[in-house]
């Protein structure tokens, strides 16, 4: 199929982009285009106007904030995220999730904001962002706001708004592990973990209806050695309706797979923390 007809604008400022997006619900943000252009071609999405935000400086780059967190611009590519030394040191699950996306071409074009805001398919960064206790920064017609990554995974970006950045508090003990669909590289099940003074955080995507934090599993693992047997036992107690079967999978299989991947992620996180 061919792309439907639409207008294309490349604004020079974020304010101009928001003004264009406010012209109607048929305007779409174009960043990396890895999901949007495919959906327009297949007819799964439609647009009358594409607002290209790839050149907006406000959406680019990775820097330190006053409170010590990392601010990752939404226009930062997945390749840039995966290679940044600060992200590798302080938010390793995010770097690993970025590296797990597709192939080099996808990572060179795909952006942080696009991966977080993708709809209709599971992507990798949301689980890593939830586990990392990250917040998504959004600019819209009513101003700017910051929301927890888990809330954003549930609600998405409001119409007429733009994801501007992701902020992540530093923590060395984190990891991301994924089982991917061989054809698409989208996650069948992906798990991100973070271990720190505030406790254990576990998030999953692909195997669930949307990226979620598994608080029940976290609670059952409190006070254990976080070894494989403890993790698998904690997942056996997790309600199977939490998991959403896809083609060739069952809720039972996905629940077990999520447990196996969590055990691997925790081992990787511990090894990474011990090596620094």
């Amino acid at each position: 199929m061919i792309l439907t007809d639409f207008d294309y604008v490349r604004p020079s400022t974020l304010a101009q982009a928001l003004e264009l997006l406010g012209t109607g619900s048929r305007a779409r943000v174009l960043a990396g285009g890895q999901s949007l252009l495919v959906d327009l071609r297949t007819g799964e999405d439609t647009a009358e106007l594409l607002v290209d935000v790839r050149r907006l400086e406000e959406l680019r780059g990775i820097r330190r904030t006053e409170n010590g967190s990392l601010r990752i611009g939404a226009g930062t590519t997945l390749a840039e995220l995966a290679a940044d030394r600060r992200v590798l040191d302080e938010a390793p699950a995010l770097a690993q999730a970025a590296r797990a996306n597709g192939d080099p071409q996808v990572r060179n074009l795909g952006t942080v904001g696009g991966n977080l805001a993708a709809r209709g398919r599971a992507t990798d960064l949301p689980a890593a962002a939830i586990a990392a206790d990250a917040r998504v920064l959004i600019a819209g017609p009513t101003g700017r706001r910051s929301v927890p990554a888990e809330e954003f995974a549930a609600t998405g970006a409001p119409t007429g708004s733009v994801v501007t950045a992701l902020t992540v508090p530093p923590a060395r003990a984190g990891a991301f592990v994924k089982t991917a669909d061989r054809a698409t590289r989208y996650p069948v099940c992906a798990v991100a973990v973070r271990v720190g003074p505030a406790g254990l955080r576990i998030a999953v995507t692909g195997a669930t209806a949307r990226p979620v934090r598994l608080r029940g599993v976290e609670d059952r693992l409190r006070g254990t050695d976080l070894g494989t047997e403890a993790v698998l036992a904690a997942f056996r107690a997790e309600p199977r309706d939490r998991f959403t079967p896809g083609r060739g999978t069952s809720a039972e299989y996905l629940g077990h797979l999520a447990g196996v991947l969590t055990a691997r992620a925790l081992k990787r996180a511990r090894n990474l923390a011990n090596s620094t």
Side-chain angles (χ1 to χ4, degrees):
M1 298 179 66
I2 61 173
L3 291 174
T4 56
D5 291 336
F6 51 77
D7 292 324
Y8 168 90
V9 180
R10 178 181 285 175
S12 57
T13 67
L14 180 58
Q16 291 175 357
L18 293 173
E19 183 177 353
L20 289 164
L21 290 169
T23 59
S25 61
R26 302 292 294 279
R28 296 286 186 273
V29 175
L30 175 64
Q34 298 299 289
S35 299
L36 176 61
L37 294 181
V38 172
D39 289 346
L40 292 176
R41 185 176 291 112
T42 61
E44 293 183 38
D45 199 352
T46 59
E48 294 179 351
L49 174 66
L50 295 188
V51 181
D52 188 342
V53 299
R54 286 176 290 185
R55 300 291 180 87
L56 298 183
E57 279 302 314
E58 183 175 343
L59 307 187
R60 304 283 301 175
I62 301 171
R63 61 176 175 81
R64 181 84 55 196
T65 66
E66 292 181 358
N67 67 2
S69 295
L70 290 178
R71 184 188 187 279
I72 302 166
T76 303
T77 68
L78 299 176
E80 291 168 338
L81 181 66
D84 188 274
R85 187 72 259 169
R86 293 160 297 183
V87 178
L88 287 164
D89 288 343
E90 300 176 26
L94 277 173
Q96 293 163 16
R99 195 179 304 115
N101 270 265
D103 55 30
Q105 182 177 353
V106 169
R107 293 191 291 273
N108 284 328
L109 290 173
T111 64
V112 170
N115 202 271
L116 290 171
R119 287 291 175 266
R121 57 176 58 82
T123 54
D124 298 307
L125 285 189
I130 291 170
D133 197 19
R135 299 184 70 87
V136 181
L137 308 187
I138 305 169
T142 60
R144 297 177 182 247
R145 61 194 184 100
S146 165
V147 300
E150 186 175 17
E151 178 183 330
F152 183 81
T155 62
T159 300
S161 65
V162 175
V163 175
T164 61
L166 184 72
T167 59
V168 189
R172 296 183 183 277
F176 175 90
V177 179
K178 165 182 173 179
T179 293
D181 180 274
R182 292 184 178 181
T184 65
R185 298 299 301 165
Y186 291 123
V188 173
C189 180
V191 171
V193 302
R194 177 171 177 155
V195 185
L200 172 64
R201 295 175 67 96
I202 303 172
V204 64
T205 189
T208 48
R210 59 177 175 81
V212 292
R213 183 178 173 191
L214 299 181
R215 288 176 172 81
V217 175
E218 295 170 4
D219 290 341
R220 288 188 285 275
L221 286 172
R222 189 173 294 116
T224 73
D225 63 358
L226 301 183
T228 298
E229 290 306 316
V231 172
L232 294 180
F235 271 88
R236 282 195 292 271
E238 187 73 2
R240 283 305 178 252
D241 60 6
R242 161 81 76 177
F243 304 100
T244 306
R247 186 177 61 184
T249 65
S250 66
E252 188 69 25
Y253 167 77
L254 291 174
H256 177 72
L257 178 59
V260 171
L261 295 182
T262 298
R264 291 177 185 172
L266 287 168
K267 182 177 181 180
R268 177 183 288 186
R270 288 194 297 269
N271 290 341
L272 186 61
N274 292 335
S275 66
T276 56

